[in-house]
Amino acid sequence: MLKWGLRIVGVLVLVLGIAFWWMLLDAKAPKTATGEFDLTAYRALVAGDDPATLPSEIRLETIGTDMVPSFATEAGWFDGTKRLDYTALQLIYPGRTIVIGAAVNAAYSEEAAQSDEASFDAGAYTRMVTALMQAEQVLITHAHPDHVMAITNHPDPAALAPKLRLNVVQIATLPLFSPDGVLAPEIAAVDPLVLDGPVKVAPGLVAVPTPGHSGGSTTFYVRRADGAEYLLVGDIVWMMHNIEALRSRPRLLNFVFGLGEDRKAVQRQVRALHDLSASEPGLIIVPSHDGVYLDGLVAGGKLKAEFAVSE
């Protein structure tokens, strides 16, 4: 009888070990991934742009911040806690601006808080909402709540709608994060941005369909007037360490938060970004949430802090 008991315990330990590995450790990117990002094609789309028409700077607005366990951002990474920021970006063109991202509002920031250190910057949120109204175009990397709340809860959707350049999946997802589940009709009626492949949406700016983290996920290639190149990758990764270590988020996150990720697609993208960063060391990769890394880009002059808005 004792032998049977030991066998049962052994089987349970094995099952629990496999479950732990599957939920929290298994997320290795493949050895190769081709065709995920075609930098040559993006460059070709903007090659004829007059430098005088390109964005002179990219500005970062940090609307909120939180602390999360490292293993929540990367499977198998047990390295304390990491700072997760809620951000949006603003491209400064001669005489106009484009905003990418609409971040969290106060209510969602409080609801989503994962630590006692979570914070929300009301002044930054006000600047972002003002910047949305002053922008020529408003785009998003994907339609998860921490990237769209200033759109779905905007006080003047009729004025905002003409600026929106959202793909069909993004528009279809917005009601999930709208008051009472109802998207403002003016926003619901926006003509979708068709992304059958990389599309130039402004001088020096290319929208690239990259489904994986969500069905409507979009990456943006930016060439600045001084020749600097950026790849705005949204939530393909939450931390640059994902790219360095070739590991995506753990499966547990999909179950807890209902991310609905195509994990294989994300892992191919992680591999491709890893290889791209090695082959194109001058390319500036910008994830949406890696607060410490984004601080470094600001300190190094790659990004500027705070949106520029007129009174």
Side-chain angles (χ1 to χ4, degrees), residues 2 18 21 23 37 40 49 62 66 68 71 94-95 117 151 157 164-165 172 178-179 183 199 210 257 307 310:
L2 179 60
I18 292 173
W21 171 83
M23 294 291 283
F37 300 98
T40 300
D49 292 345
T62 301
D66 204 350
V68 299
F71 67 80
E117 299 168 81
I151 293 174
L164 296 175
R165 304 290 306 280
S178 302
L183 182 62
V199 173
T210 47
F257 295 106
F307 281 4
S310 56

Side-chain angles (χ1 to χ4, degrees), residues 18-261:
I18 292 173
F20 181 81
W21 171 83
W22 193 80
M23 294 291 283
L24 286 169
L25 301 180
D26 177 38
K28 189 69 174 175
K31 292 183 178 180
T32 61
T34 58
E36 300 298 324
F37 300 98
D38 188 349
L39 204 58
T40 300
Y42 314 155
R43 287 167 170 164
L45 286 171
V46 303
D49 292 345
D50 183 342
T53 68
L54 300 181
S56 59
E57 61 188 39
I58 302 177
R59 288 184 168 265
L60 172 75
E61 193 68 74
T62 301
I63 296 90
T65 188
D66 204 350
M67 300 296 293
V68 299
S70 58
F71 67 80
T73 69
E74 179 187 316
W77 193 26
F78 298 97
D79 185 32
T81 57
K82 303 299 172 184
R83 198 180 102 209
L84 205 69
D85 285 3
Y86 298 113
T87 66
L89 295 165
Q90 182 190 46
L91 278 58
I92 307 296
Y93 284 84
R96 60 195 176 116
T97 61
I98 292 175
V99 172
I100 300 175
V104 295
N105 59 3
Y108 183 78
S109 177
E110 182 177 355
E111 176 187 338
Q114 300 296 309
S115 73
D116 293 338
E117 299 168 81
S119 65
F120 176 79
D121 187 334
Y125 183 80
T126 297
R127 271 193 306 274
M128 180 179 65
V129 172
T130 301
L132 293 177
M133 293 305 297
Q134 294 178 356
E136 180 182 79
Q137 296 185 52
V138 175
L139 305 110
I140 59 174
T141 58
H142 62 293
H144 283 167
D146 52 319
H147 295 260
V148 304
M149 297 305 273
I151 293 174
T152 57
N153 292 265
H154 197 277
D156 191 355
L160 177 65
K163 304 172 183 294
L164 296 175
R165 304 290 306 280
L166 312 177
N167 65 50
V168 65
V169 177
Q170 292 170 351
I171 295 170
T173 307
L174 289 181
L176 297 175
F177 314 116
S178 302
D180 300 320
V182 179
L183 182 62
E186 299 90 347
I187 295 177
V190 166
D191 289 333
L193 175 64
V194 178
L195 290 180
D196 295 329
V199 173
K200 177 181 166 182
V201 295
L205 178 61
V206 177
V208 183
T210 47
H213 180 62
S214 75
S217 285
T218 303
T219 293
F220 295 94
Y221 167 82
V222 183
R223 172 169 287 175
R224 216 166 55 179
D226 62 0
E229 295 178 291
Y230 296 75
L231 203 60
L232 316 181
V233 300
D235 283 11
I236 292 176
V237 296
W238 285 346
M239 297 283 154
M240 282 299 291
H241 193 269
N242 295 97
I243 295 172
E244 297 160 5
L246 285 166
R247 300 184 70 83
S248 62
R249 285 169 288 269
R251 283 188 181 89
L252 181 64
L253 266 292
N254 263 328
F255 289 98
V256 173
F257 295 106
L259 295 179
E261 282 192 335

